[in-house]
Amino acid sequence: MEIKNHYDVAIVGGGPGGLMAAWRLSQRDPALSIALFEKGNPLEKRICPIIKKTAKACVHCKSCAIMEGMAGAGAFSDGKYVISTEYGGWLTEFLPDEVVMDYIEQADRILVHFGATTERFLPSDELKKRCLEFDLHMSQAQLKHLGTDANFDTMGRLIHALEERVELHANANVTGLDRATHALTIHSGGRDHTCTADRIIIAVGRAGSSFFSAWCEENRIPLHNNQVDIGVRVELPAMVWEDFAKKIYEPKIWYRSKRYGDVTRMFCFNDRGQVVTENTNGILTVNGHSYRDEARKTQNSNFALLSTTNFTQPFKEPIQYARHVANLANLISGGSVLVQRLGDLEAGRRTDEKRLRQSTVRPTLSAVPGDLSLCMPKRQLDNIIDTLHALDQISPGTANYDTLLYGIECKYYSARPKCTNFEIDGCPGIYAVGDGAGFTRSLSQACANGLYVADLMTPQHN
């Protein structure tokens, strides 16, 4: 499909926020000419060699199938859909709680229309009380587990329906955007193309956050740096946390360390799932997946355990800080990610191949045995160890010797541009949404953000 010279609306990024915006715009005004440009592959061509078991370690594909491509990082996520404003992003700083909840529910109905599950896990005061007894604090939410496999299929059906309404351009990397003329430069098919659009939605996701931040700085748009979370992916026998998993699916718990007063968060829980590698602009980190298909489930569960840091002046490069820590792990592991037993870490010795073979917890990711203390700052490592022992009080077995820690996992929340109702200040007609713009950090809020901005742009709301 050829890129035209002009569109009514151009959407940069094919993740959940961009797709939801495209769907709503095309529904409310079918006469609109809409183009969506996605840097990565079409959904059906997003094939990770590790997941397909054709490679044991990351082979540095030109486009990371996990992080980039149509449907965004959400396509291969565990597919948790958080129906709450208690966590998942910062939309409530811009919109009333009830408006955010309304849009989260609207997005859910769209996903259900395309095959997503209707099953919801409900909050549990019983489990929350158990946490509070040990100074652990659990967030409450209704939650849907879409599943890595089922979520992929749902997104596929949404994209297929959009193809009849919207121009979808995969492998189309937007390399330039003129704020004054609304001219976009797109590299596709081995050459550069140029087009203009009356209105533009930037929905680049975490993988495109560096591009977006650089564009904002180039155009002197003030940015607000959000927090950065650095830590590990914890893997242990599924039965250790099955009580929580069966009742609420995801235990989302935070703990304030007694030593530093820092907050460490347990989240992104994957019941009977697997640990995976992600490649974001050449830096390898870890994450977790979990499938709805019983045949693809494992005997282990995994979750993120990350220590939160909010930097103050004069330092203003939190994303680069997180990437530097992750890069150290890549360096030490010879271009991969590390895994270490908790007992070895606390004993001050590295995990080697022999010790890993002796582990009662069998790793689901082929990572390099090593020593996380050589790449992770002491403060964050202390916080993680302290939190594991706190969690052990509510789910005994969490801090066992053979509990596996993979590193580095980091969540850097993109720098947020100064804006008014998501329209970037000084850039009339250019809007930003989702994780890549620092407004959200979840599938549900990214979808809601896309729908909301689309409604701002349609005639019924003008």
Side-chain angles (χ1 to χ4, degrees):
M1 185 186 305
E2 284 294 320
I3 297 173
K4 297 175 184 174
N5 292 328
H6 182 77
Y7 297 94
D8 294 319
V9 182
I11 300 171
V12 183
L19 292 175
M20 282 292 174
W23 176 256
R24 177 58 58 84
L25 287 166
S26 64
Q27 267 198 323
R28 289 191 176 269
D29 190 351
L32 286 174
S33 60
I34 305 168
L36 184 149
F37 302 104
E38 166 55 45
K39 177 182 178 181
N41 287 322
L43 185 60
E44 66 275 9
K45 292 186 178 180
R46 292 181 63 181
I47 301 171
C48 175
I50 299 177
I51 292 178
K52 288 295 182 181
K53 300 189 184 303
T54 57
K56 289 186 176 181
C58 181
V59 295
H60 297 271
C61 300
K62 182 179 179 181
S63 175
C64 178
I66 300 296
M67 293 300 295
E68 296 176 347
M70 206 63 79
F76 280 100
S77 73
D78 183 37
K80 294 187 194 72
Y81 195 85
V82 180
I83 306 168
S84 172
T85 57
E86 191 167 336
Y87 60 91
W90 299 273
L91 288 185
T92 52
E93 295 181 17
F94 303 89
L95 301 169
D97 283 24
E98 61 271 19
V99 173
V100 176
M101 281 299 298
D102 179 43
Y103 274 92
I104 286 174
E105 291 284 9
Q106 288 183 49
D108 178 57
R109 289 193 290 272
I110 293 170
L111 292 174
V112 168
H113 175 74
F114 288 107
T117 180
T118 58
E119 179 188 15
R120 296 189 180 194
F121 292 88
L122 301 178
S124 169
D125 287 340
E126 172 203 347
L127 295 179
K128 187 177 181 72
K129 180 176 181 292
R130 188 198 301 182
C131 291
L132 286 171
E133 290 171 354
F134 297 99
D135 202 16
L136 292 158
H137 305 269
M138 186 173 77
S139 299
Q140 297 269 52
Q142 289 190 42
L143 185 83
K144 297 178 75 170
H145 175 225
L146 307 180
T148 303
D149 45 354
N151 187 45
F152 186 91
D153 294 338
T154 298
M155 289 296 182
R157 286 186 284 268
L158 170 60
I159 290 167
H160 181 68
L162 272 173
E163 288 173 338
E164 301 175 3
R165 305 161 172 253
V166 174
E167 284 189 22
L168 300 179
H169 296 272
N171 299 125
N173 184 21
V174 174
T175 57
L177 168 58
D178 189 300
R179 62 186 287 183
T181 64
H182 285 201
L184 298 99
T185 303
I186 306 111
H187 189 76
S188 177
R191 63 189 182 92
D192 286 338
H193 306 258
T194 302
C195 71
T196 56
D198 293 334
R199 291 165 293 180
I200 297 168
I201 299 175
I202 301 174
V204 293
R206 282 192 296 124
S209 62
S210 296
F211 161 79
F212 182 57
S213 294
W215 180 81
C216 288
E217 290 174 1
E218 178 186 336
N219 287 277
R220 298 183 180 179
I221 296 163
L223 290 169
H224 169 72
N225 285 305
N226 287 331
Q227 69 197 48
V228 62
D229 294 344
I230 295 176
V232 298
R233 174 70 47 170
V234 180
E235 186 169 43
L236 35 58
M239 63 180 61
V240 174
W241 282 89
E242 67 178 351
D243 186 29
F244 281 80
K246 287 179 178 178
K247 292 177 180 176
I248 62 172
Y249 188 76
E250 177 172 39
K252 197 174 185 74
I253 300 168
W254 64 269
Y255 177 72
R256 183 181 291 110
S257 71
K258 303 298 184 288
R259 195 177 325 193
Y260 304 109
D262 295 338
V263 169
T264 301
R265 300 186 300 128
M266 170 192 180
F267 64 106
C268 195
F269 181 85
N270 294 280
D271 180 47
R272 296 175 62 196
Q274 64 186 70
V275 180
V276 299
T277 304
E278 292 183 340
N279 185 336
T280 306
N281 299 321
I283 302 293
L284 300 184
T285 55
V286 289
N287 209 328
H289 290 170
S290 182
Y291 299 93
R292 290 187 67 84
D293 183 358
E294 284 292 326
R296 303 184 73 175
K297 293 185 181 295
T298 72
Q299 296 303 307
N300 295 348
S301 289
N302 65 76
F303 57 85
L305 192 61
L306 307 186
S307 177
T308 298
T309 302
N310 287 285
F311 288 102
T312 57
Q313 295 294 334
F315 186 70
K316 58 179 182 179
E317 299 289 345
I319 293 177
Q320 292 307 315
Y321 172 80
R323 286 173 59 84
H324 175 72
V325 174
N327 193 44
L328 282 176
N330 295 172
L331 181 66
I332 292 168
S333 63
S336 184
V337 294
L338 294 173
V339 62
Q340 187 173 20
R341 296 187 298 177
L342 174 60
D344 290 336
L345 175 63
E346 293 190 288
R349 65 182 186 182
R350 71 180 289 257
T351 297
D352 56 21
E353 291 282 1
K354 180 180 178 182
R355 290 173 182 141
L356 189 60
R357 284 196 300 269
Q358 293 171 346
S359 177
T360 55
V361 182
R362 308 310 304 162
T364 57
L365 174 68
S366 179
V368 175
D371 188 351
L372 290 166
S373 69
L374 294 176
C375 57
M376 185 175 291
K378 180 180 185 298
R379 180 166 179 154
Q380 281 104 334
L381 208 52
D382 287 346
N383 290 337
I384 287 163
I385 292 171
D386 290 350
T387 305
L388 282 169
H389 284 283
L391 292 170
D392 195 71
Q393 296 178 95
I394 59 169
S395 283
T398 300
N400 280 357
Y401 196 106
D402 285 350
T403 293
L404 299 178
L405 310 178
Y406 297 83
I408 300 298
E409 177 151 354
C410 54
K411 294 288 188 289
Y412 32 84
Y413 307 106
S414 309
R416 182 188 302 167
K418 189 177 181 183
C419 66
T420 303
N421 216 11
F422 306 104
E423 186 176 36
I424 300 171
D425 282 12
C427 303
I430 302 179
Y431 297 78
V433 304
D435 290 17
F439 298 123
T440 67
R441 60 179 184 188
S442 66
L443 174 63
S444 59
Q445 285 208 18
C447 289
N449 200 181
L451 289 178
Y452 179 81
V453 168
D455 279 353
L456 290 177
M457 300 168 73
T458 48
Q460 292 92 327
H461 291 254
N462 288 340

